[in-house]
Amino acid sequence: MAIEGFQYKEFAEEMARQAKELVPPEFNDQQKGYIVNTIENFTRMAGEALYNDTSLNFNADQAVLISQIIAEWSFHKSIDLIHSRILPEHWDGIMQKIAFTIFEVAKQAIIRNIPQDQMLQAIEHHVNKAYVAGLEALEKKKVISHEAKEYAAKQSNIDDMAKRVQEEEAAAAAAAANGQETLPQGAQTAPQQVGGQPQQPVKAPAHAAGKAAKLLSVALLLKLLSQDKVVTILNKFSPEDSQAITKFMQTPDLESQIDPELTCQCLNEIKEYLPKKPKLTEENIVKHMQRIFDNTSRDKVEQLIKYERPFVKRFVSSAYDDEYYRIPLKVAGVIAQYVQDSI
């Protein structure tokens, strides 16, 4: 049975329409047409393949997700190819490789029930890998030089766009964190000379900084942690807040853009709402596992640990029986947290 409610042709046309409004204004008509047509063609072909493959049992939301990812990456990588200075007759081969890679990686991720953020990370990795592989193939055929390949490989419209957004949001958030947006019209926002002495800027009350200041403060804190801890903490936030924090973390010289006093206050406020970590005991670990089991099917948990070592499986199995499998407490705590974060 075809995917009910999935209008892939209309969706492809809508993606092309949106792309037409976003293409860089400095591109000529041929370049703009290439981007728009590539997005529509690849999105339609992917949608049609999903629509007709009854073995997948995907729903409309899943089909739309895959199609949209292909559209978005087709937009960014076609811009990269235009910026790369590679002749247009070589663009299609690389774009086809990228679209096929996304299609297959996304399909497998959904089939394996991989969390969406992990799926997107995997897709980005494989897109970049396919892009570089396409460039290397052109170099091997002596179509382009090594220098041309290196130049093309450095093009990344998605990074350029993200950087622009980060700079804009960081500037806005920094202004909010320092209370500038709450100042009355005409209030001083920069040091002024009064009687020969520099006068400090007027600051708004700390509570006026609001959410932006708190997210900035979290970003500053996370920059001090290891990557695995950062990922674990970001997963506790909503997707919107997590994305905002990530952008702030990538902002150059973030420390100089915030008010230290206000940041400390924000972190202290956040600390009050953090759950107190329970003492690491056998009883608490079993309770931790039981809370996971209450919200997750056993099949899903067992699928998660399918390829884990035997002692991990025995630990989980014992927890189902409300018993503690004798392993070091720290190891048990790590396993319990891993299961919780992976569900």
Side-chain angles (χ1 to χ4, degrees):
M1 180 179 176
I3 302 176
E4 184 178 354
F6 180 45
Q7 306 294 330
Y8 64 88
K9 292 181 181 178
E10 289 82 352
F11 183 79
E13 292 171 358
E14 175 60 20
M15 290 293 97
R17 185 192 65 77
Q18 292 182 21
K20 193 173 183 178
E21 299 174 357
L22 297 172
V23 291
E26 67 272 16
F27 285 178
N28 61 39
D29 290 343
Q30 178 191 3
Q31 293 166 334
K32 293 177 180 178
Y34 180 80
I35 295 172
V36 173
N37 292 335
T38 297
I39 289 172
E40 183 170 2
N41 290 339
F42 285 167
T43 306
R44 187 183 67 253
M45 287 190 291
E48 184 176 7
L50 293 168
Y51 185 81
N52 293 323
D53 192 343
T54 57
S55 66
L56 294 173
N57 292 320
F58 285 174
N59 58 38
D61 289 340
Q62 292 167 326
V64 165
L65 176 62
I66 295 175
S67 301
Q68 183 171 356
I69 294 172
I70 289 175
E72 290 176 353
W73 275 110
S74 295
F75 176 80
H76 292 299
K77 300 316 288 184
S78 59
I79 290 177
D80 290 345
L81 282 172
I82 293 172
H83 283 150
S84 73
R85 304 173 187 167
I86 292 174
L87 294 176
E89 55 261 37
H90 305 301
W91 295 348
D92 279 350
I94 296 176
M95 291 303 303
Q96 288 166 6
K97 184 187 293 289
I98 290 172
F100 178 77
T101 296
I102 297 171
F103 188 75
E104 292 301 319
V105 173
K107 273 201 315 181
Q108 291 303 314
I110 291 176
I111 291 171
R112 294 168 57 192
N113 200 29
I114 293 175
Q116 185 171 317
D117 59 339
Q118 295 180 24
M119 176 182 74
L120 295 176
Q121 290 175 7
I123 288 172
E124 181 174 7
H125 169 77
H126 286 286
V127 164
N128 292 331
K129 188 175 179 180
Y131 178 67
V132 172
L135 298 175
E136 290 175 344
L138 292 179
E139 180 188 12
K140 189 174 182 180
K141 294 177 183 177
K142 300 189 183 304
V143 173
I144 60 174
S145 66
H146 177 73
E147 291 73 17
K149 184 209 74 175
E150 290 296 308
Y151 178 81
K154 292 178 181 178
Q155 304 306 311
S156 180
N157 182 69
I158 192 169
D159 288 341
D160 293 342
M161 183 178 292
K163 185 178 180 181
R164 289 195 297 271
V165 172
Q166 289 164 14
E167 291 172 350
E168 292 170 2
E169 291 190 357
N178 286 310
Q180 293 178 11
E181 66 178 10
T182 63
L183 294 176
Q185 188 174 5
Q188 295 173 336
T189 58
Q192 302 292 325
Q193 290 293 116
V194 179
Q197 297 296 323
Q199 182 176 338
Q200 292 301 314
V202 179
K203 293 184 180 179
H207 64 78
K211 188 175 182 179
K214 289 183 173 63
L215 295 181
L216 268 170
S217 302
V218 173
L220 186 64
L221 178 63
L222 294 188
K223 289 182 70 174
L224 305 175
L225 304 181
S226 61
Q227 183 62 34
D228 57 335
K229 290 182 179 178
V230 169
V231 172
T232 299
I233 293 173
L234 287 178
N235 285 338
K236 308 296 183 183
F237 288 84
S238 69
E240 295 78 12
D241 289 349
S242 177
Q243 185 177 20
I245 293 170
T246 301
K247 289 177 180 178
F248 293 148
M249 290 176 64
Q250 296 171 350
T251 301
D253 201 21
L254 175 65
E255 293 82 356
S256 66
Q257 301 186 38
I258 59 178
D259 182 342
E261 182 180 344
L262 180 56
T263 299
C264 289
Q265 181 176 337
C266 289
L267 291 175
N268 286 330
E269 291 178 7
I270 292 171
K271 184 179 178 181
E272 293 299 319
Y273 292 95
L274 293 176
K276 301 299 185 291
K277 189 174 182 179
K279 187 177 179 182
L280 201 59
T281 65
E282 295 180 3
E283 181 182 1
N284 286 339
I285 289 175
V286 172
K287 287 181 179 179
H288 185 177
M289 293 299 296
Q290 290 293 333
R291 288 193 295 271
I292 296 172
F293 300 152
D294 289 341
N295 299 306
T296 311
S297 70
R298 185 161 186 164
D299 287 344
K300 189 170 184 179
V301 174
E302 290 179 346
Q303 184 65 29
L304 173 66
I305 63 171
K306 183 177 180 180
Y307 300 107
E308 294 293 340
R309 286 162 290 183
F311 80 88
V312 175
K313 296 179 181 179
R314 286 195 288 270
F315 167 78
V316 173
S317 178
S318 296
Y320 269 110
D321 295 329
D322 205 19
E323 297 177 357
Y324 182 80
Y325 179 70
R326 298 289 177 175
I327 57 175
L329 284 172
K330 287 188 177 180
V331 175
V334 170
I335 296 173
Q337 193 62 49
Y338 163 73
V339 173
Q340 177 180 308
D341 293 341
S342 302
I343 294 300

